[in-house]
């Protein structure tokens, strides 16, 4: 449960940073990969925890 909250907060923070980058206040080449990696890591952790590990 705590992981879900941290992931959502991380995505929201990086999305806000990406909005600042679109207004040319931060470099876009730094904020876009951060947002992408946070979404990728969140989706990976949500999908990986329910896999079958064998007998």
């Amino acid at each position: 449960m705590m992981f879900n909250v941290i992931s959502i907060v991380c995505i929201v923070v990086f999305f806000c940073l990406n909005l600042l980058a679109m207004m040319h206040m931060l470099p876009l080449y730094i904020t876009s990969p951060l947002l992408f990696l946070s979404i990728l890591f969140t989706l990976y952790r949500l999908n990986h925890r329910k896999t079958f590990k064998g007998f």
Side-chain angles (χ1 to χ4, degrees), residues 8-51:
I8 291 172
V9 168
C10 187
I11 290 174
V12 168
V13 167
F14 287 139
F15 180 75
C16 291
L17 286 177
N18 206 10
L19 287 178
L20 288 175
M22 300 237 183
M23 292 187 283
H24 301 290
M25 295 182 181
L26 292 172
L28 191 61
Y29 59 86
I30 293 175
T31 60
S32 294
L34 288 174
L35 179 61
F36 174 73
L37 290 175
S38 66
I39 292 171
L40 182 71
F41 183 71
T42 302
L43 291 177
Y44 172 75
R45 293 295 295 166
L46 287 175
N47 289 331
H48 187 65
R49 68 180 175 173
K50 296 183 181 178
T51 57

